[in-house]
Amino acid sequence: MNKTIAVIRGDGIGPEIVGQTLRVLDRVAEKFGHTFIYTDVDMGGNAIDKWGEPLPAAMLQKCLDSDSVLLGAVGGPKWDNEPAHRRPEKGLLGLRAGMGLYSNNRPAKLWPQLAAASPLKPSIVENGIDFIVVRELIGGVYFGNHSTEECEGEKKAVDIMAYSEHEIERIGRIGFETARKRRRKLTSVDKANVLDTSRLWRAVMHRLAEEYPDVKYSDMLVDNAAMQIVKDPSQFDVIVTENLFGDILSDEASMITGSIGMIPSSSLGEGSRGLYEPIHGSAPDIAGQNKANPIGTILSAAMMCRYSFDMASEADAIEHAVHTALNEGLRTGDMMADGCRLASCTEMGDAIVTHI
Ligand code: IPM
Ligand code: MG
C-alpha cells in the first residue's frame, strides 16, 4: 500500500522522537512492502517563529490532504508569554477542530516490565491496569467562548462550556463500540450533580445504553473517578468523558502506569484519517540531548497502522519490537531502573528497528 503521512515534528523533543518513529515506519514499509510518503508540516512554536501563527491554513490543508498525521509534541517556555491566539496549544486545538477529530483514545496500560515504576502500591498494580480513556476532543469548555472584561471595578473572566446532543451521542457511540471490542464495560464520567452539560450527557448515554445491552454500563462522578483510578484501576475497561475531564483523567491514568513517555494516543473523526501523538509534552528541559523516550510516539505510529491504515500485523510487529527492547533491559532515563541499561533516544530507536 501507498500512504501519505503529514509529519509534525513540533517543538522541544518533538523532532528527536519523531525522527526515531520515521525510522521504525521505514522499517515496517521495507518489511511489509508498503510505501510511506512523508510531508513535513509546521505547527506549534516553530510555526509561530517561521510564519507568525501556530497553524497556518496551508499547513492544516496539508494534513487534510494526507492519509494520516503523526505529531511529536508542541509548546515550550519560549512561547509562554504569547497572546492566546498565538500560543502553540492554539495550533493543536485548531488542528483537532479543523480535522473534525472528536474522539481521542488514550490507553492506560501497564507494561509488566515497568510495574516497579508505577507510583501505586504493588498490591494495587498486581491486579492489572489496562483501560482506555475515550475523551471528547472538539467540544465543551475548550471550544466555548472565552472572554475577560472589566466588571464593577475588577476583571471578570468567562469560559463557556456547551454540549449538544449530537456531540455527546457520537462520542458515546465510540465509547460503546470500543468497549464491545474489549471487556464490554463502559464507565461514563460526568458531574451530573452540578452541571447541566453533564445531565444532558448522562441522559444521552442512558439512551445509547439501551442499544448496547451487551455492554455493562455505569455512570461515575468525575471526582469519584479521579479517586477510583488510584484506588482500584483494575475496575476500568473503557472510560468515556467530556473534553476537560478527559484531559485531566488521562494524565492521571498515564502516571499510574509508570511512565508518561510510553503512552500513545489516537484522535479520530468520521473516516479513517487520524492524528497520532504521544500524550506527553515537549520536555524542553531535555530537548536536543538525545535523552527522550521515543516509545510513546513509536506506539502512536503503531496505532496509526492499526486504526487508519488497517495494518494490524504491522502494528503488532511494532508493539512486539517495543516489548523485546524492554525485555532486553533497555530503558531511557524517564523509566530507568536497577539492573537495566540506560539507552539514548537513538539507541532505543535502533533496538526497536532491529526487532521488526
Ligand atoms: C493534551 C494537552 C492539550 C489539551 C493542551 C496542550 C492544549 O494537555 O493533549 O492533553 O489540553 O488537550
Ligand atoms: Mg493534557
Side-chain angles (χ1 to χ4, degrees), residues 106 135 142 247-248 250-251 279:
R106 298 185 163 183
R135 168 188 177 194
Y142 275 63
D247 177 46
I248 299 167
S250 63
D251 263 31
I279 82 155

Side-chain angles (χ1 to χ4, degrees), residues 1-60:
M1 276 197 258
N2 280 359
K3 294 288 178 193
T4 55
I5 303 175
V7 177
I8 305 173
R9 294 169 199 264
D11 309 318
I13 57 171
E16 299 162 57
I17 54 183
V18 168
Q20 296 312 310
T21 303
L22 297 186
R23 293 180 57 212
V24 169
L25 281 172
D26 285 341
R27 173 70 192 121
V28 166
E30 181 187 28
K31 175 158 181 184
F32 292 86
H34 303 304
T35 306
F36 295 134
I37 300 153
Y38 310 120
T39 311
D40 269 303
V41 169
D42 304 322
M43 193 274 280
N46 58 90
I48 296 174
D49 290 350
K50 200 162 154 193
W51 307 101
E53 49 179 321
L55 179 64
M59 295 296 161
L60 171 60

Side-chain angles (χ1 to χ4, degrees), residues 289-301:
Q289 298 172 33
N290 197 19
K291 283 182 181 167
N293 184 352
I295 295 180
T297 321
I298 290 170
L299 292 173
S300 299

Side-chain angles (χ1 to χ4, degrees), residues 165-166 168-169 173 176 200-212 217:
E165 285 180 286
H166 79 274
I168 302 171
E169 180 170 336
R173 285 196 187 282
F176 281 102
L200 183 62
W201 180 279
R202 201 175 267 209
V204 173
M205 289 295 164
H206 286 192
R207 216 154 66 204
L208 284 178
E210 287 175 19
E211 288 181 43
Y212 296 86
Y217 174 88

Side-chain angles (χ1 to χ4, degrees), residues 82-301:
E82 294 281 345
H85 69 281
R86 268 173 52 110
R87 290 182 59 99
E89 292 80 1
K90 196 77 190 169
L92 184 57
L93 298 184
L95 187 62
R96 289 172 179 170
M99 293 178 67
L101 307 172
Y102 60 82
S103 170
N104 183 213
N105 183 324
R106 298 185 163 183
K109 189 173 148 219
L110 185 82
W111 291 74
Q113 299 95 329
L114 302 183
S118 171
L120 297 184
K121 283 189 192 142
S123 61
I124 296 176
V125 172
E126 72 197 10
N127 296 326
I129 302 174
D130 181 9
F131 63 96
I132 293 186
V133 178
V134 174
R135 168 188 177 194
E136 199 291 324
L137 203 59
I138 53 174
V141 73
Y142 275 63
F143 290 90
N145 281 336
H146 308 285
S147 65
T148 307
E149 59 199 52
E150 284 300 327
C151 183
E152 293 170 13
E154 59 176 352
K155 282 208 176 90
K156 181 178 176 185
V158 180
D159 300 289
I160 303 286
M161 180 170 191
Y163 268 107
S164 307
E165 285 180 286
H166 79 274
E167 293 176 288
I168 302 171
E169 180 170 336
R170 64 187 181 184
I171 190 69
R173 285 196 187 282
I174 302 283
F176 281 102
E177 296 293 339
T178 308
R180 248 186 194 167
K181 291 188 199 124
R182 296 173 46 97
R183 303 193 301 276
R184 295 174 182 263
K185 200 175 164 200
L186 180 66
T187 310
S188 168
V189 170
D190 63 35
K191 188 71 185 171
N193 52 348
V194 177
L195 301 177
D196 259 45
T197 44
S198 281
R199 284 190 271 270
L200 183 62
W201 180 279
R202 201 175 267 209
V204 173
M205 289 295 164
H206 286 192
R207 216 154 66 204
L208 284 178
E210 287 175 19
E211 288 181 43
Y212 296 86
D214 52 318
V215 174
K216 192 164 177 286
Y217 174 88
S218 59
D219 303 301
M220 192 177 279
L221 294 172
V222 64
D223 46 354
N224 185 29
M227 207 166 68
Q228 296 297 331
I229 285 174
V230 287
K231 188 170 166 232
D232 176 21
S234 71
Q235 71 185 284
F236 295 111
D237 178 20
V238 179
I239 290 177
V240 64
T241 191
E242 67 90 41
N243 204 344
L244 180 62
F245 298 161
D247 177 46
I248 299 167
L249 294 183
S250 63
D251 263 31
E252 188 191 10
S254 71
M255 190 61 230
I256 62 169
T257 67
S259 175
I260 193 171
M262 296 285 298
I263 315 271
S265 80
S266 68
S267 302
L268 289 154
E270 304 302 334
S272 63
R273 187 194 309 108
L275 169 66
Y276 296 85
E277 54 174 319
I279 82 155
H280 61 72
S282 62
D285 53 321
I286 57 163
Q289 298 172 33
N290 197 19
K291 283 182 181 167
N293 184 352
I295 295 180
T297 321
I298 290 170
L299 292 173
S300 299

